[in-house]
Amino acid sequence: MCNNCNSDEMINNFVDEEIDLSPLKPVIEKYGQVKGSLINILQATQDIYGYLPLRALNYVADNTPNKKSTIYGVATFYTQFRLKPIGKFLILQCQGTACHVNGSKEVSQAICEELKIKPGDTTTDGLFTIEDVNCLGCCSLAPVMMINGEAYGNLTPSEAVNIIRNLAKEADK
Amino acid sequence: MKVLVGLGSCGIAAGGKKVLESINNSVKENELNIAVEPTGCVGMCFYEPLVDVIDGDKKYTYGHVNAKIAKEIVESHLKNGQPLKEYIIYSNEEPDIYVVNQLKIALENCGQINPENIDEYTSVGGYEALKKVLTSMSQQDVIEQMKISGLRGRGGAGFPTWFKWDAALKSGGSEKYVVCNADEGDPGAFMDRSVCEGDPHKLLEGMIICGYAMGSNHGVIYCRAEYPLAIQRLNIAIEQARENNFLGNNILGSDFNFDITIKMGAGAFVCGEETALIESLEGKRGMPRLKPPFPAQSGYWRKPTNINNVETFANVAWIIYHGPEKFAAIGKGNSKGTKVFALSGKIKKGGLAEIPMGMTLREVIFGIGGGIKGDKKFKAVQLGGPSGGCLPENMLDTPVTYEDLGKTGAIVGSGGMVVMDETTCIVDVTKFFLEFTCEESCGKCTYCRVGTKRMLQILNKITEGNGVMEDLDELENLALSVKDASLCGLGQTAPNPVLTSLKYFRDEYVAHIMDKKCPSKKCTALLTYEINKEKCTGCTLCARKCPVQCIEGTVRKPHEIVQEKCIKCGNCFTTCKFNAVEIN
Ligand SMILES: Cc1cc2nc3c(=O)[nH]c(=O)nc-3n(C[C@H](O)[C@H](O)[C@H](O)COP(=O)(O)O)c2cc1C
Ligand code: FES
């Protein structure tokens, strides 16, 4: 085993929590032996848990022909995959060209300040996760963000903050 | 009478679902017997949410509709036959210039039909081209027609489509693949999304015809994960095409079998590059392969593979149905047919515009797009995203063709057209693109991995006010080396934004370096924030928002920024309600 595998940096990338592995079984049954379907398996895993828990990845490695190193390689190559859990609301902030030109930086700054976290992080109450994405395909409504699959366009910093406050209020009820 | 509600991603983002709900409710309340259908995006995103009312041969389009207006439309127009003039943006009798100046081939059905109903597609001639191909044409005939049409790839490189199909046909073996590239990585382009969401059968028909021509039985659509609605509508379309035997075995009674599956991308720009896309399809990290061998010889699972862009496939059925000569008659020189552009940025009418090739940039931006938002001054147009370049005002009469744009250093690319005004800093935008390519470089080859990073460092240095004139030469040299020595298209084109901006906007770089000024007031490190004593009311908001407590003053008295401590975050500027914070 190389030193890297046990290094803190490597281990800190994962979250090793107790999870129910049973929903993974049908996924492995469907894709386990189909060649070239590692990405499908990881996407299905992330749909189940919201992220890729260490135990789920180990389970995939043990039950498919994929090596652990290959799985780690794929899971860290694509921005869609997360090794950490996300909050109840996933805010995707578009940082594409059209949004950049129309002031997405200011919007993003306001959101980060409101929630007191950086892109990639989750608030301590587990409500919000912020992530940067490259384009949501609604460029003519720039700047745009998407929260749990719903897109919001023509944002200003204060509007974005309002939307988030409303969501937080609703979640409080 | 029939009502169409625009429910592409953009329509939904603007509130289209609420409009549909409101119309459905009022139609029910008033006991009207009128079909209300969702449709895709017509491309007039700046007017979303859109509602079309079709009454016999008359068609009225309402823009910026909300739930309340929707109810009024039902009560006045649908029930009492009184169109609501104040909300109508155009009708087929008085069309908008946004529509008049366009020529729709790839997008002809987007926003006109219900994409989730195959009958609507067949009622406008859908799958007729496929019937013609399967009943009366040989594989060579199809390829010959593509050759006559002059269709070139719409995904970026503009490679002749017939040539790729022909190479794939000539590659032996019985297992071959047709792959559709729906990864649409250029941030700022969304025509492929529009086709998948608004007219998915057109894409399928193009792929089936391609499969027939090159002798393949398997099609795969690689669609980016950020487009959930596109994936959903494609799945529905595939299901319906199977039920109607446009997909499956012995299609329409012929001996041709073909089926299509969808694979979802996972968020990596480099996977738009065809060989990286193939690696990703195989479930691996999306790292490009060395070419040759080309995918036509050895692609997906090392079998002959033809990869085309969504828009390329969306032209195929039209060409077969209307005849290739008709397609070739449109356009200029070796750039035939139409191209869809996604207009965005500081433009009045942002959306999708399909234009005949050869129109000038000015005609597109000012004629169709209506010019610059807020009537500010035009500065530049960015074409081709991270692989393309910025062109200045004096190049606006360049015709939009592969050749003419290529000569300028920009590219047609996938069709992103981001317009910038005097408040956009070109150095900042160039830095933005390099941040993008640097982040998205897969790391396989050194020039791209290290070269983009080094260029970005230089740009950071310049925007932070630490640049020297020698940096510009180094930047240019680096850019040329990265262009020459990178493995795939990502690295080979990543320097384009740098090279074009150095060529056309060198004075902006010089202002950052010599005068330590950002003429567009974007690069925060080069700005100073000051409080205008006349305007400041002493509300203390800025002082509370300042992360380094560098704003001093007492309540109701003008405040002051201590310049030595200021980190130029801009918070005070954005929070001040009285515009008292000024940037110099
Ligand atoms: C870095 C990079 C990203 C690309 N992204 C896309 C894309 O998102 N969509 C696309 O259709 N083509 C993209 N291409 C071009 C493809 O490699 C390929 O040329 C194209 O899909 C071929 O189809 P066409 O001949 O129909 O244009 C990209 C190329 C490079 C180098
Ligand atoms: S650039 Fe933000 S949605 Fe396209």
Side-chain angles (χ1 to χ4, degrees):
Chain A
M1 195 189 283
C2 74
N3 291 336
N4 222 357
C5 292
N6 275 330
S7 73
D8 284 349
E9 195 193 330
M10 187 91 173
I11 288 168
N12 283 340
N13 281 340
F14 293 103
V15 174
D16 185 12
E17 60 176 7
E18 206 55 61
I19 51 164
D20 175 13
L21 288 170
S22 60
L24 258 189
K25 291 205 173 98
V27 174
I28 302 291
E29 258 162 43
K30 183 166 172 201
Y31 294 115
Q33 298 310 318
V34 184
K35 66 174 180 173
S37 50
L38 179 56
I39 294 177
N40 303 56
I41 295 176
L42 295 182
Q43 281 168 338
T45 309
Q46 186 157 296
D47 278 346
I48 297 171
Y49 302 104
Y51 76 108
L52 300 176
L54 181 59
R55 287 178 199 198
L57 294 180
N58 282 334
Y59 184 82
V60 173
D62 294 341
N63 292 286
T64 67
N66 298 298
K67 289 199 204 79
K68 283 185 184 176
S69 57
T70 313
I71 297 177
Y72 183 71
V74 170
T76 51
F77 184 84
Y78 294 98
T79 49
Q80 188 194 13
F81 297 126
R82 289 178 291 262
L83 299 177
K84 299 255 163 81
I86 48 161
K88 183 165 174 221
F89 297 108
L90 175 63
I91 306 174
L92 301 177
Q93 311 182 129
C94 180
Q95 307 290 0
T97 321
C99 291
H100 178 82
V101 171
N102 281 320
S104 61
K105 271 224 175 99
E106 286 77 13
V107 172
S108 163
Q109 215 172 10
I111 296 178
C112 291
E113 227 160 78
E114 171 73 17
L115 298 175
K116 307 209 166 47
I117 50 171
K118 293 191 305 296
D121 292 345
T122 303
T123 50
T124 43
D125 59 6
L127 264 190
F128 293 99
T129 302
I130 312 183
E131 261 171 33
D132 284 343
V133 291
N134 285 333
C135 177
L136 294 166
C138 304
C139 318
S140 38
L141 303 173
V144 183
M145 67 175 172
M146 193 183 260
I147 305 182
N148 290 1
E150 189 160 337
Y152 298 82
N154 291 325
L155 295 171
T156 62
S158 57
E159 260 172 39
V161 168
N162 275 343
I163 292 170
I164 285 166
R165 284 188 188 156
N166 285 339
L167 288 175
K169 248 189 242 159
E170 259 170 51
D172 221 19
K173 273 182 197 157
Chain B
M1 254 201 214
K2 184 172 157 189
V3 180
L4 292 174
V5 182
L7 287 187
S9 285
C10 37
I12 293 176
K17 278 195 176 150
K18 287 193 191 106
V19 170
L20 178 67
E21 200 184 287
S22 165
I23 294 188
N24 274 329
N25 287 344
S26 326
V27 164
K28 219 185 264 156
E29 257 167 45
N30 289 296
E31 294 174 351
L32 300 173
N33 186 14
I34 288 174
V36 183
E37 307 259 6
T39 185
C41 165
V42 264
M44 303 176 84
C45 308
F46 57 98
Y47 276 139
E48 293 282 3
L50 287 165
V51 172
D52 286 343
V53 176
I54 299 161
D55 186 3
D57 56 355
K58 286 214 184 81
K59 180 170 175 182
Y60 304 88
T61 301
Y62 291 94
H64 291 308
V65 180
N66 56 29
K68 190 170 145 277
I69 299 179
K71 195 161 177 249
E72 288 174 39
I73 294 175
V74 174
E75 281 165 5
S76 170
H77 193 162
L78 302 193
K79 195 171 157 198
N80 299 326
Q82 296 293 327
L84 284 172
K85 289 226 169 54
E86 62 268 44
Y87 304 124
I88 290 183
I89 45 176
Y90 72 100
S91 62
N92 57 353
E93 283 165 355
E94 292 170 65
D96 193 276
I97 55 157
Y98 193 83
V99 183
V100 176
N101 290 334
Q102 297 192 42
L103 179 63
K104 297 211 174 183
I105 292 179
L107 298 182
E108 62 178 344
N109 298 328
C110 285
Q112 312 294 342
I113 61 171
N114 180 347
E116 298 181 7
N117 183 349
I118 191 170
D119 296 337
E120 294 213 3
Y121 181 64
T122 49
S123 75
V124 290
Y127 289 114
E128 289 300 321
L130 178 64
K131 281 182 199 155
K132 185 168 162 191
V133 165
L134 291 182
T135 51
S136 66
M137 292 168 77
S138 70
Q139 293 174 302
Q140 279 78 13
D141 287 345
V142 177
I143 291 173
E144 185 58 27
Q145 297 241 313
M146 298 314 290
K147 189 173 178 177
I148 298 171
S149 77
L151 176 65
R152 293 167 67 175
R154 302 296 194 233
F159 205 75
T161 304
W162 75 271
F163 191 90
K164 297 205 320 197
W165 291 18
D166 192 45
L169 170 65
K170 286 182 181 140
S171 292
S174 54
E175 198 182 334
K176 297 183 189 177
Y177 292 93
V178 176
V179 175
C180 171
N181 188 343
D183 195 44
E184 196 147 66
D186 171 7
F190 50 98
M191 59 289 290
D192 294 351
R193 168 180 73 71
S194 186
V195 172
C196 297
E197 286 179 4
D199 197 8
H201 286 289
K202 194 166 208 133
L203 168 58
L204 302 187
E205 190 174 1
M207 286 180 74
I208 303 168
I209 293 172
C210 171
Y212 174 79
M214 64 179 264
S216 154
N217 310 114
H218 310 278
V220 188
I221 302 174
Y222 184 86
C223 187
R224 66 190 313 217
E226 288 87 341
Y227 289 176
L229 185 64
I231 294 172
Q232 185 194 335
R233 295 220 170 120
L234 282 168
N235 270 319
I236 295 173
I238 289 175
E239 213 37 64
Q240 292 176 342
R242 283 186 191 138
E243 280 162 18
N244 287 272
N245 193 224
F246 297 121
L247 283 175
N249 289 339
N250 301 101
I251 297 177
L252 301 175
S254 68
D255 55 5
F256 174 57
N257 307 334
F258 193 75
D259 205 2
I260 296 179
T261 48
I262 299 180
K263 279 247 184 184
M264 202 161 64
F269 174 65
V270 69
C271 290
E273 198 280 333
E274 51 192 13
T275 60
L277 187 149
I278 290 170
E279 290 281 301
S280 181
L281 280 180
E282 295 179 4
K284 298 186 235 159
R285 288 164 71 95
M287 310 260 244
R289 296 177 182 167
L290 195 62
K291 289 190 275 192
F294 290 93
Q297 284 91 42
S298 164
Y300 189 33
W301 302 122
R302 308 279 158 179
K303 303 288 185 216
T305 304
N306 173 57
I307 302 182
N308 276 128
N309 166 261
V310 174
E311 195 188 332
T312 314
F313 281 127
N315 280 303
V316 171
W318 194 96
I319 292 172
I320 303 277
Y321 186 70
H322 294 271
E325 294 81 9
K326 203 165 164 196
F327 188 86
I330 306 165
K332 174 174 181 273
N334 284 328
S335 302
K336 305 290 191 202
T338 60
K339 173 81 192 91
V340 184
F341 285 92
L343 304 178
S344 66
K346 302 287 177 77
I347 192 156
K348 266 194 196 142
K349 300 181 177 176
L352 290 179
E354 181 165 358
I355 54 149
M357 293 254 195
M359 217 179 201
T360 66
L361 288 169
R362 191 187 301 280
E363 286 168 318
V364 179
I365 297 169
F366 290 88
I368 295 176
I372 310 296
K373 243 191 231 168
D375 290 315
K376 292 218 170 70
K377 202 168 159 311
F378 172 91
K379 183 188 268 183
V381 52
Q382 212 284 342
L383 294 151
S387 315
C390 280
L391 299 181
E393 167 128 46
N394 64 13
M395 318 273 308
L396 275 182
D397 292 312
T398 312
V400 177
T401 65
Y402 293 102
E403 291 73 24
D404 292 295
L405 281 179
K407 268 184 237 149
T408 65
I411 55 170
V412 173
S414 54
M417 214 184 250
V418 184
V419 175
M420 303 170 190
D421 67 11
E422 55 200 333
T423 64
T424 318
C425 170
I426 297 292
V427 186
D428 174 69
V429 170
T430 310
K431 192 178 87 175
F432 164 82
F433 281 118
L434 272 184
E435 276 167 2
F436 180 88
T437 37
C438 188
E439 173 82 27
E440 295 293 336
S441 168
C442 76
K444 185 164 176 170
C445 72
T446 321
Y447 272 87
C448 176
R449 183 181 67 238
V450 184
T452 52
K453 182 106 194 158
R454 285 290 299 130
M455 286 195 280
L456 178 59
Q457 281 169 344
I458 297 176
L459 287 170
N460 273 330
K461 189 174 155 198
I462 294 174
T463 52
E464 278 159 14
N466 302 321
V468 291
M469 285 307 280
E470 290 75 44
D471 286 336
L472 294 186
D473 299 328
E474 193 179 339
L475 195 57
E476 189 158 0
N477 285 335
L478 255 171
L480 293 172
S481 315
V482 173
K483 203 176 165 80
D484 275 348
S486 293
L487 171 67
C488 86
L490 192 151
Q492 288 158 10
T493 58
N496 285 348
V498 172
L499 291 170
T500 52
S501 60
L502 275 174
K503 186 164 160 194
Y504 301 117
F505 296 96
R506 203 181 184 90
D507 51 334
E508 284 204 25
Y509 284 91
V510 174
H512 283 73
I513 295 172
M514 299 302 285
D515 314 336
K516 307 288 173 209
K517 282 218 167 77
C518 174
S520 322
K521 302 190 175 172
K522 266 282 158 201
C523 300
T524 41
L526 298 176
L527 310 174
T528 49
Y529 290 86
E530 274 163 33
I531 295 178
N532 182 333
K533 292 214 158 53
E534 322 258 273
K535 287 192 188 160
C536 179
T537 62
C539 74
T540 73
L541 190 60
C542 60
R544 281 182 279 140
K545 281 276 175 185
C546 177
V548 292
Q549 281 92 38
C550 76
I551 305 183
E552 295 178 347
T554 42
V555 186
R556 292 199 198 91
K557 297 260 166 59
H559 282 48
E560 197 172 345
I561 298 175
V562 181
Q563 294 300 337
E564 297 74 46
K565 282 207 256 167
C566 174
I567 56 164
K568 303 177 183 182
C569 68
N571 274 3
C572 50
F573 179 76
T574 37
T575 45
C576 182
K577 296 202 170 83
F578 310 97
N579 296 326
V581 180
E582 289 171 355
I583 304 179
N584 295 309

